[in-house]
Structures are given as C-alpha cells and as structure tokens.
Amino acid sequence: MNEFEKVEKLTQKANVTYEEAKEALDACNGDLLDAMIYLEKSGKVEAPKSESVTTRAEDNCLPCVIETANDKEGKKNCNKNWKEDLKKGLRKFWDALLNNEFFIKKDGKIVFSLPLFAALLIFLFTFHVSTIAIIVSLFFGVRYGFMGKDDLSKVNEAIDKVGAVAESVTEKVKEEFSNKKEN
C-alpha cells in the first residue's frame, strides 16, 4: 500500500483531514495502527467503546509515537526496540547452532554426530543432494535427531513421526512385494 492509499484509508477510518492523517502517518513511520493510536492519544479520534487488544502491545513503542509527535528524534527510539529484538534473536539462534548437535542413528545407535552449525552449512551447500539422501535413508531405517543444551524434544518427536511413517510405508511395500512373489 503506497503512502497516498494509507492517508486515504486513515482519513476514512478516523474521519480526519488529509493533513492530520499524513502527520500521524509520518509520526508513526507509515504504520496505520500506530497512526490510529496516535490520533486517539492526541484527541482527534474517539477511542472505541469496547475493550480492544492491539497486536503491538509487546513492542512498547507507544511512548515513542507520542514522543515522535513532539520530537523527530523519537523515531530512533522506536526503531531501537526491533533492532534489539533482532539482535537477541540472532544471538539465540547462534547459541543454538553452537550448543547443539545433529546426529544420525541406525539400529538405535548413534553412528555419526556433528555440531548443528556444521550440519546446517553442509545442508545449505548440498541442499538438493542432502534432501534426497535424508528422505531415501529414512526408508532404510536411518533416523535423525538433535541433542544438546537446548530442549529439542518436540523437534525430535516430529522427526520420529516422519521416521515412523517411512517405516510403515517400507513395511507395506515389503508386504506387497512378498505377496506378488508368492503369486
């Protein structure tokens, strides 16, 4: 949605002038929801009577919206939250890559394991071959999983379910093949 469409939509929803809508959008970095909240806080729009919940409550950016109306520097503070969240998320992802391992099991015994970071790199550089190899090996009783510092039980459960499906398909194919041989 381009800037004009956003201004148009805000004027219709909030019943404000184009100038007020543009000012609110500029103060809120083009975010329609924040602009509507901005207009409510500035008294140009009446808040809805029913209780409503916004999806951006966890951003803690509402003070920044008001601050932005008074000071253009406020935009920097709003942007800081998502940047910090991104940094934390990337740090957590990096830690997971370094503190966990990918393993390959055959007959209930781990035959090979390597750090998750290395496994991810190998998978990314050999995506097509790796995908085919993993799928085919599931039909030969090879199982995969993750172990390490983090709780990876849900991921391992999902992988085990895929392995069980491959095992059941293999059994059905063997039964079908043995039935055809007998006839």
Side-chain angles (χ1 to χ4, degrees):
M1 185 180 296
N2 66 30
E3 186 179 4
F4 178 75
E5 290 170 330
K6 287 181 181 180
V7 170
E8 185 74 25
K9 189 169 200 95
L10 193 57
T11 58
Q12 292 170 354
K13 294 286 183 186
N15 196 24
V16 293
T17 66
Y18 282 96
E19 184 179 21
E20 291 169 326
K22 176 143 178 38
E23 176 188 330
L25 283 166
D26 287 344
C28 298
N29 297 328
D31 187 288
L32 279 169
L33 179 60
D34 283 345
M36 187 62 121
I37 293 169
Y38 170 81
L39 289 169
E40 287 176 5
K41 293 288 182 183
S42 62
K44 294 180 181 172
V45 174
E46 187 176 320
K49 303 260 189 260
S50 66
E51 290 185 30
S52 61
V53 178
T54 64
T55 58
R56 303 224 23 208
E58 68 276 359
D59 285 353
N60 297 323
C61 199
L62 188 55
C64 295
V65 174
I66 296 167
E67 187 178 322
T68 303
N70 300 327
D71 179 26
K72 292 295 178 189
E73 292 298 311
K75 289 182 182 178
K76 291 180 184 173
N77 293 332
C78 281
N79 292 335
K80 194 182 281 185
N81 285 343
W82 75 265
K83 289 177 184 174
E84 288 300 316
D85 290 344
L86 180 63
K87 283 180 187 176
K88 286 178 187 174
L90 288 174
R91 218 174 285 126
K92 188 175 179 181
F93 178 69
W94 182 252
D95 286 343
L97 287 176
L98 295 177
N99 295 319
N100 297 298
E101 291 184 23
F102 171 77
F103 65 83
I104 300 173
K105 269 194 308 192
K106 176 73 172 150
D107 300 325
K109 296 178 185 174
I110 294 177
V111 292
F112 185 73
S113 76
L114 70 157
L116 192 53
F117 179 72
L120 181 64
L121 283 177
I122 291 169
F123 185 74
L124 288 175
F125 287 111
T126 63
F127 175 74
H128 294 90
V129 175
S130 297
T131 304
I132 293 168
I134 289 170
I135 292 170
V136 170
S137 66
L138 286 171
F139 293 101
F140 291 99
V142 177
R143 297 294 176 256
Y144 302 94
F146 300 95
M147 62 185 171
K149 182 179 132 183
D150 298 327
D151 179 23
L152 301 164
S153 59
K154 292 191 182 210
V155 175
N156 286 333
E157 286 174 18
I159 293 170
D160 289 342
K161 286 179 184 178
V162 172
V165 169
E167 192 174 313
S168 102
V169 169
T170 303
E171 291 300 319
K172 287 180 183 178
V173 169
K174 284 181 182 177
E175 285 177 24
E176 198 65 37
F177 186 71
S178 65
N179 289 340
K180 284 186 178 182
K181 247 186 173 180
E182 291 173 2
N183 291 333

